[in-house]
């Protein structure tokens, strides 16, 4: 088996990874909702707080004050992204690193879509900060999406460098 190919050349392993991301995301959001007070920082370390909020917008609270239509817009975008990602997984089983990245994005996207459907907003609870500067609150799904997107960029840079040499 080529080191870049999935076992059996199928998408099963990648879908299992996406499912694991989704499960961890939903369990941590459930924990945050039953354990954390709304909008109050609970210090974990000098740079990390637990901080429960509901974000009706997208990344960095984009469109969070849009009046409600954004819930359905981002839900539809997330569902369409999931469909495209599953199609890409099926077409690219030979490229393991690309499919792992897509799986992270898929699990995160579905996790945030589920929040929008259940709560009308995304559950965020991780607050990273330094000297009074706070990164916007996020969750495991957001982390998985960010890591997946970063892996895709790194892989494409590597591919471009390899093709030039």
């Amino acid at each position: 088996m080529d080191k870049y190919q999935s076992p059996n050349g199928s998408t099963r392993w990648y879908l299992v990874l996406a499912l694991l991301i989704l499960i961890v995301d939903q369990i941590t959001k459930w924990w945050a909702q039953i354990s954390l007070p709304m909008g109050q920082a609970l210090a974990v370390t000098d740079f990390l707080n637990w901080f429960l909020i509901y974000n009706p917008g997208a990344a960095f609270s984009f469109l969070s004050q849009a009046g409600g239509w954004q819930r359905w817009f981002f839900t539809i975008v997330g569902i369409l992204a999931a469909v495209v990602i599953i199609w890409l997984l099926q077409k690219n089983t030979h490229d393991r690193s690309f499919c792992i990245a897509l799986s992270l994005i898929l699990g995160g996207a579905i996790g945030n879509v589920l929040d929008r459907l259940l709560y009308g907003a995304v559950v965020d609870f991780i607050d990273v900060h330094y000297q009074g500067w706070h990164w916007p609150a996020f969750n495991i799904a957001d982390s998985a999406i960010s890591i997946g997107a970063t892996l895709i960029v790194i892989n494409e840079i590597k591919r471009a460098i390899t093709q030039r040499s």
Side-chain angles (χ1 to χ4, degrees):
M1 175 175 67
D2 179 1
K3 73 175 186 171
Y4 297 107
Q5 188 169 348
S6 74
N8 304 328
S10 76
T11 60
R12 177 180 41 184
W13 302 105
Y14 304 123
L15 295 176
V16 168
L17 176 57
L19 180 62
L20 289 174
I21 296 297
L22 173 62
I23 290 168
V24 170
D25 174 64
Q26 291 299 300
I27 287 172
T28 57
K29 289 173 179 174
W30 169 80
W31 168 82
Q33 291 179 91
I34 65 166
S35 302
L36 302 175
M38 177 64 83
Q40 294 180 23
L42 294 176
V44 177
T45 68
D46 290 342
F47 62 88
L48 175 69
N49 295 330
W50 298 140
F51 186 77
L52 177 63
I53 60 167
Y54 291 86
N55 178 6
F60 306 106
S61 296
F62 176 66
L63 294 178
S64 63
Q65 304 297 318
W69 63 268
Q70 73 277 22
R71 172 187 185 183
W72 302 110
F73 174 75
F74 290 127
T75 298
I76 291 167
V77 167
I79 291 168
L80 291 174
V83 169
V84 169
I85 290 169
I86 291 168
W87 177 78
L88 286 169
L89 286 170
Q90 292 171 340
K91 297 292 181 188
N92 293 282
T93 58
H94 61 280
D95 189 342
R96 183 171 56 181
S97 57
F98 180 62
C99 288
I100 288 170
L102 288 176
S103 298
L104 294 172
I105 296 168
L106 178 62
I110 294 172
N112 284 342
V113 162
L114 217 65
D115 286 5
R116 290 183 196 289
L117 292 172
L118 294 172
Y119 314 114
V122 173
V123 178
D124 288 329
F125 64 94
I126 303 169
D127 173 34
V128 175
H129 58 92
Y130 179 72
Q131 294 185 351
W133 179 85
H134 291 257
W135 187 260
F138 59 98
N139 57 48
I140 300 300
D142 298 335
S143 299
I145 292 167
S146 297
I147 292 167
T150 301
L151 289 174
I152 288 172
V153 169
I154 290 169
N155 287 334
E156 289 305 311
I157 291 170
K158 285 180 181 178
R159 185 171 291 142
I161 290 170
T162 302
Q163 287 176 350
R164 281 192 166 166
S165 348

